[in-house]
Amino acid sequence: MLNLTAPDWGTYYLYLTELARENTIDLPNNVDQWSTKKLIRHIEKLETKYGKLEPII
């Protein structure tokens, strides 16, 4: 069975790019080639420094 609630690579990629956009951070050109694990680590670093994104409703 497909788990549609679990985040995948695309979810993390979109979150990272939005987090960078909201905080005017430049991301490396090859971010679209990063592994899910690397995306998560980078997100955690940025959230520690800038905070999490506010949920969109």
Side-chain angles (χ1 to χ4, degrees):
M1 182 175 210
L2 190 62
N3 185 353
L4 298 177
T5 59
D8 61 357
W9 181 91
T11 305
Y12 290 118
Y13 176 79
L14 288 174
Y15 184 83
L16 175 61
T17 55
E18 184 62 18
L19 186 62
R21 189 186 69 77
E22 287 286 324
N23 294 291
T24 59
I25 301 165
D26 289 331
L27 293 173
N29 289 337
N30 69 340
V31 72
D32 60 333
Q33 299 170 359
W34 288 2
S35 67
T36 302
K37 193 174 190 177
K38 188 170 182 176
L39 288 173
I40 293 169
R41 283 195 311 262
H42 202 71
I43 288 168
E44 289 171 347
K45 287 179 188 176
L46 292 178
E47 284 181 340
T48 300
K49 188 171 183 177
Y50 298 101
K52 295 184 179 192
L53 291 177
E54 294 296 320
I56 299 172
I57 28 178

